[in-house]
Amino acid sequence: MCACKSDVPKKATTIETTTPKTEIKQPEDTRSKRIVFFGDSLTAGYGLNDVTDAFPGIIQHKIDSLQLNYRIVNSGVSGETTSGGKNRIDWVLNEEPSIFVLELGANDGLRGVPLKQTKENLQAIITAVKNKYPTTKIVLAGMQIPPNMGQDYTSEFKNIFPALAQKNDLFLIPFLLENVGGMAGLNQSDGIHPTKEGHQILAKNVWTVLAPLL
């Protein structure tokens, strides 16, 4: 039900993937606006044969088909926590994004990280983006976790995301894994990571919120 360990142009043809250690260089059209997907294994497309089959790549294909002037930067790292995201956010913000999609927190929940810490880390990432690029639109992906840590923890974890969205005036994806989480046929053998078909649904969940911003 969650990841791994509410509101002309030149056509882009590739999706760029970045990590703290490496960056796949792609020919850049400097006129293109950047959409940064900053997340964990869901964003990175863990277990897929091609990163373009992950939901950010599917969205890039949709953007290309509509001839919109946006270039996706996939900055997903498998196993990433909110603490790891906070540590690498400055590096990711070397270039200005027009839209910043924040998809982190599920690994914190699976590991039982104190909720206060998770919320503070997410807020730190949001603040970093807002301080450096005040006009960047931020989209926050809501997450949920199984009740392994107890019902109170599970409920409070779920509430972190709408609370942060309201506090910071963000655009919220209520639940990234809607219609995918917990469905065996749409997840890989680990029961956690979506299949290629599952990512198609994730892309639809994101597109509903993202499309009006483009």
Side-chain angles (χ1 to χ4, degrees), residues 9-73:
K10 182 169 181 180
K11 188 174 180 181
T13 57
T14 58
I15 178 169
E16 176 184 341
T17 304
T18 63
T19 70
K21 296 182 180 179
T22 62
E23 180 176 351
I24 300 174
K25 300 292 184 180
Q26 302 286 0
E28 290 188 14
D29 180 351
T30 56
R31 296 171 297 174
S32 295
K33 299 176 183 178
R34 300 169 78 248
I35 303 175
V36 172
F37 282 82
F38 189 70
D40 51 36
S41 58
L42 293 176
T43 293
Y46 177 88
L48 302 179
N49 292 328
D50 191 327
V51 67
T52 60
D53 289 331
F55 72 89
I58 297 168
I59 290 173
Q60 179 73 76
H61 180 73
K62 179 71 171 178
I63 286 171
D64 293 348
S65 70
L66 295 172
Q67 295 188 325
L68 298 174
N69 195 34
Y70 290 90
R71 175 173 57 90
I72 300 291
V73 177

Side-chain angles (χ1 to χ4, degrees), residues 119-140:
K119 189 171 184 178
E120 287 176 350
N121 288 338
L122 288 171
Q123 182 63 62
I125 294 168
I126 294 165
T127 299
V129 178
K130 283 178 166 285
N131 285 347
K132 191 164 187 177
Y133 303 116
T135 62
T136 293
K137 300 171 183 176
I138 303 177
V139 178
L140 180 62

Side-chain angles (χ1 to χ4, degrees), residues 140-214:
L140 180 62
M143 292 302 302
Q144 300 176 25
I145 57 171
N148 303 44
M149 300 294 174
Q151 192 58 52
D152 288 346
Y153 184 96
T154 303
S155 296
E156 290 181 39
F157 177 87
K158 176 182 177 181
N159 292 335
I160 285 175
F161 302 91
L164 284 172
Q166 182 175 17
K167 176 183 178 181
N168 295 280
D169 194 24
L170 312 180
F171 299 92
L172 177 69
I173 302 165
F175 180 33
L176 179 63
L177 289 169
E178 187 72 40
N179 298 320
V180 176
M183 302 184 68
L186 294 172
N187 287 279
Q188 299 173 41
S189 58
D190 59 13
I192 295 175
H193 297 94
T195 60
K196 182 177 178 180
E197 293 74 21
H199 273 276
Q200 292 283 345
I201 298 175
L202 264 62
K204 290 179 182 179
N205 296 338
V206 175
W207 186 252
T208 299
V209 177
L210 184 62
L213 307 182
L214 305 180

